[in-house]
Amino acid sequence: MKLPDFEAWAVFASVVEHRSFSGAADALGVSKATVSKAISRLEQRLGTTLFHRTSRRLTLTDSGRGLAERAQGILAQGQEAEEAALDAASAPAGLVRVAAPLTFGSKRVAPLMAEFMAAHPGIRIDLHLSDAFIDIVGEGIDVAVRIAELPDSSLRARRIAPVTGYIVGSTAYFEKHGRPRHPADLAHHACFAYTNSAHPDAWRFRKAGGEEAVVRIEGPLRTNNGDAMLAALRAGLGIAVLPDFIVRDDLAAGTLEAVLEDWSMGSSALHLVTPPGTLRPARVEALMEFLAVRLKENCSEYLSPA
């Protein structure tokens, strides 16, 4: 039996991580031709195409997407073995790719990245900010910051703290249109839809006593970013559901007010999510531990009690 082509698997994982042959070549310190030959060698051995290649774009095939997680596991195990063999005093180094929601990422995660890099000069950060759902395995993400009720999956998730959401509008809006007393009242209000949620046009509520309600909402604004709703909310154009870290200042200033506070829209929490597998390179582990501590410390004013 022939031994697995570990080099080709590692090259494949690097191409997935850097999303290009040239990026992988630079990271590995080899030529682009060497990377291309390794991928071709692996494809021939596996009998399948791993990438769709065009002059402008490189994307994983279905087969490549299914194998990316295994390749990254092979690379991570090799990296961990090498790092474990190095002097324990040596500092972790290399690239860590991080994904976070746009608003929370720019306000709370980006400043922490600066602090982390200052303390770990050997580690480089590739920070991706977006409210869109990201396939962290397919995109080669090492750590994702997610604020959601996470579905069951093979991904590893570390819960940091619950996040409170509020149903908010301006005082002027409520004085003109009335304050909803029951979720069913929202069907007669202008409600803004957050399009990155699973059901943007159906708001689900639950009361402490067990009563539940589902409301179909309509309104003048649909957007994939919570911050984008603030101007329209302040102008009295409607109602929205937003997390505390977006509306906290407006609630404190009185420009917005919360309604239906005795109803819940489900549990949501801040998580750190990583690809499957038990092994992580030291640089990723270092960032995970840093974020777990600093997010809880620095963001306590935005988070519910754990």
Side-chain angles (χ1 to χ4, degrees):
M1 176 181 175
K2 292 176 63 179
L3 287 172
D5 190 341
F6 292 111
E7 180 185 39
W9 280 105
V11 170
F12 172 48
S14 186
V15 174
V16 171
E17 178 181 352
H18 297 282
R19 292 177 286 183
S20 73
F21 281 25
S22 57
D26 291 341
L28 296 171
V30 299
S31 68
K32 185 177 176 181
T34 298
V35 170
S36 180
K37 288 177 182 177
I39 297 300
S40 296
R41 193 169 68 240
L42 187 59
E43 288 178 327
Q44 185 174 12
R45 179 159 181 162
L46 297 175
T48 188
T49 301
L50 299 173
F51 295 101
H52 294 301
R53 304 171 178 86
T54 68
S55 59
R56 294 185 177 181
R57 194 176 181 189
L58 183 73
T59 58
L60 286 163
T61 63
D62 289 342
S63 295
R65 193 174 297 109
L67 291 168
E69 179 183 320
R70 294 176 181 270
Q72 288 167 330
I74 291 170
L75 180 57
Q77 290 182 45
Q79 289 171 330
E80 186 188 68
E82 288 190 355
E83 289 173 5
L86 295 173
D87 184 350
S90 63
L95 177 70
V96 182
R97 301 193 70 227
V98 182
L102 180 58
T103 299
F104 189 81
S106 60
K107 289 182 176 179
R108 311 307 300 179
V109 178
L112 293 181
M113 292 297 97
E115 183 181 338
F116 179 78
M117 288 187 293
H120 298 82
I123 296 180
R124 295 173 291 118
I125 300 294
D126 181 350
L127 179 59
H128 180 92
L129 300 180
S130 174
D131 286 336
F133 175 81
I134 294 176
D135 177 359
I136 71 172
V137 173
E139 294 291 329
I141 299 296
D142 296 301
V143 182
V145 178
R146 285 188 174 167
I147 300 172
E149 181 179 4
L150 297 181
D152 291 336
S153 75
S154 61
L155 301 176
R156 299 173 65 190
R158 181 169 177 175
R159 188 175 183 272
I160 304 302
V163 175
T164 300
Y166 293 95
I167 303 153
V168 297
S170 70
T171 300
Y173 176 87
F174 292 130
E175 288 178 348
K176 181 176 181 180
H177 300 282
R179 288 169 176 78
R181 306 299 179 186
H182 187 277
D185 297 340
L186 293 170
H188 308 293
H189 284 268
C191 298
F192 303 161
Y194 177 64
T195 56
N196 275 334
S197 63
H199 304 285
D201 300 313
W203 289 0
R204 300 174 182 273
F205 297 85
R206 185 181 181 89
K207 209 170 186 180
E211 183 182 356
E212 297 183 354
V214 179
V215 183
R216 300 289 301 180
I217 59 104
E218 293 184 3
L221 179 63
R222 297 169 62 85
T223 179
N224 63 356
N225 178 257
D227 257 348
M229 299 181 184
L230 288 176
L233 285 169
R234 293 165 184 158
L237 300 180
I239 298 173
V241 177
L242 289 172
D244 187 82
F245 63 86
I246 290 181
V247 298
R248 183 175 187 270
D249 291 343
D250 282 275
L251 291 174
T255 51
L256 297 178
E257 62 178 274
V259 295
L260 299 174
E261 292 185 89
D262 53 342
W263 289 84
S264 167
M265 296 190 70
S267 60
S268 184
L270 176 68
H271 296 84
L272 297 179
V273 181
T274 58
T278 58
L279 301 177
R280 285 193 288 248
R283 62 185 182 276
V284 176
E285 198 68 44
L287 180 60
M288 284 283 292
E289 293 306 313
F290 173 83
L291 286 177
V293 172
R294 299 295 282 126
L295 280 175
K296 200 159 192 174
E297 289 177 351
N298 287 5
C299 304
S300 58
E301 71 270 27
Y302 294 103
L303 304 176
S304 304

